[in-house]
Structures are given as structure tokens and as C-alpha cells.
Amino acid sequence: SQTIHQWPATLVQPVGSPLSLECTVEGTSNPNLYWYRQAAGRGLQLLFYSVGIGQISSEVPQNLSASRPQDRQFILSSKKLLLSDSGFYLCAGLESNYGYTFGSGTRLTVV
Amino acid sequence: QKEVEQNSGPLSVPEGAIASLNCTYSDRGSQSFFWYRQYSGKSPELIMSIYSNGDKEDGRFTAQLNKASQYVSLLIRDSQPSDSATYLCAVNKGGFQKLVFGTGTRLLVSP
């Protein structure tokens, strides 16, 4: 089974600063990978997904971007953070028909 | 209409009782259905998957699927205080196996 690694666990960033969150996958090759955001008291919102190196699909137009430079690496970025970017960011990998495995998440607070 | 709908709760049950969590979905083409448990501040963890109409049992958990009614449910027998969490229903969408999540039902099991 696969393991999703995410860091950092918490992050406090000022408005207008850049962001880079990294997700790495262990235990599988060529996984489908996903970035979700969960705002306080809200559901999981799919931001980006990737089916392979360099292949990124965006679900919601926004201030964020994603990249997949390596098979097991998925990066979420922003050039200038907004207050509305605060939330709990989760990376997930698809395990065949077993649904997603989630990383431990990054709680981002933009101040 | 939301793609996946859940009652936000909280659903309060006494220890030892059966907790019943419900979910409806809008896409008749959906084929895969999942229940995730999310403790406060933590990432979701998969507890059940179901793909065919009927019941699927795993320990104290039973998932029920009715595709004609577009309805998925999760029963938790002999509820324990440690079951207190938010339960997320997820339904697949699209060819790249994207999951759409409901906003979750908060379950409180009192000792």
C-alpha cells in the first residue's frame, strides 16, 4: 500500500508571501495524485489532480498552481498568498479501487 | 443541487447504540462509493468502500448502497466514544477517478 508524506504540518504566512507545499508518495509508482483544501467547517474541495509527470488538471480557478516534476512528487504553489487561501491542505493518492490515501495535511494560516 | 449531500449533524447516540449516517448523490453514472472518518484536526481515513447495490459489512461497520435511489448509508453498530468524528461520504466522478466529497456528518457518541 502507498504512503503519502506531506510537510510542514502547520504554516503561518503573511499575505502576499509565496507558498510551496510538497507531497511525496511511497510504495507505488505512477499514482494519480490530488490536492484538496478543506476550509474551516467546510467540505473537501478538489484543487488539482495529476495522472503523471507534468500532467496537471485544475478544478477551480484560483491563486494557486501545482506541478509534478517527478513521478512521486506533487507540489502546490502560490506566488502571492491571499487571506482566503487559509485552510487545511491535503494531498491524496489513488490506490486502485480502494479509494484515496491521504497525507497528514498542512494547516495553512495566512495573516 | 450539491453533488454529494450529507446532513451536517451532529448526530448524537449513546454508547452501544447503532449510528446511521446517510448520503445522497446526484450523478447516476457514479460507480464507486466511499466512507471516510475524520477526527478533528486530522486527515480523513478510509473505513469502507462499496461498488454494488446492497450491503457490505466489515466488523462493526455496514455500508449500504441503493443506486436507483442514489443513496449510500453507513451503519455503525455498538457505537463507541472513539467513533466520535466527522464521517465523509465520497463518490467517484469522471474518468480520472476523482472523488467528490460531502461536507460530512459529525457523530457524537456519549458514554
Side-chain angles (χ1 to χ4, degrees), chain A residues 5-11 13 18-24 35-36 47 64-67 73-78 81 85 87-91 105-108:
Chain A
H5 300 282
Q6 271 188 261
W7 64 92
T10 59
L11 195 56
Q13 293 285 99
L19 174 73
S20 181
L21 300 180
E22 187 167 343
C23 166
T24 58
W35 277 111
Y36 279 85
L47 303 176
L64 302 169
S65 62
S67 63
Q73 185 184 30
F74 199 25
I75 298 172
L76 183 70
S77 304
S78 174
L81 285 169
D85 291 324
F88 191 36
Y89 287 82
L90 291 157
C91 179
T106 295
R107 190 162 303 280
L108 172 66

Side-chain angles (χ1 to χ4, degrees), chain A residues 32 34 36 38 43-44 46 49 51 59 88 90 94 96-100 102-104 107, chain B residues 32 34 36 38 41-46 49 51 88 93 96-103:
Chain A
N32 284 8
Y34 308 82
Y36 279 85
Q38 188 175 38
L44 290 166
L46 179 60
Y49 67 92
V51 299
E59 287 293 297
F88 191 36
L90 291 157
L94 176 66
S96 186
N97 281 332
Y98 298 107
Y100 289 1
F102 284 91
S104 55
R107 190 162 303 280
Chain B
S32 305
F34 305 89
Y36 285 82
Q38 186 176 25
K42 302 296 185 181
S43 62
E45 54 180 328
L46 179 67
S49 60
Y51 310 103
L88 304 172
K93 174 184 176 183
F96 291 112
Q97 298 169 303
K98 295 180 286 186
L99 290 188
V100 178
F101 287 81
T103 53

Side-chain angles (χ1 to χ4, degrees), chain B residues 24-43:
Chain B
T24 58
Y25 61 96
S26 61
D27 184 357
R28 284 193 173 275
S30 296
Q31 297 295 321
S32 305
F33 307 87
F34 305 89
W35 283 99
Y36 285 82
R37 177 175 62 200
Q38 186 176 25
Y39 291 112
S40 180
K42 302 296 185 181
S43 62

Side-chain angles (χ1 to χ4, degrees), chain B residues 5 12 17 25 31 43 50 52 56 59 63 78 82 85 92 101-102 106 108 110:
Chain B
E5 295 208 53
S12 295
Y25 61 96
Q31 297 295 321
S43 62
I50 187 166
S52 305
K56 179 182 178 183
D78 188 23
S82 58
N92 82 294
F101 287 81
R106 187 176 170 210
L108 297 175
S110 54

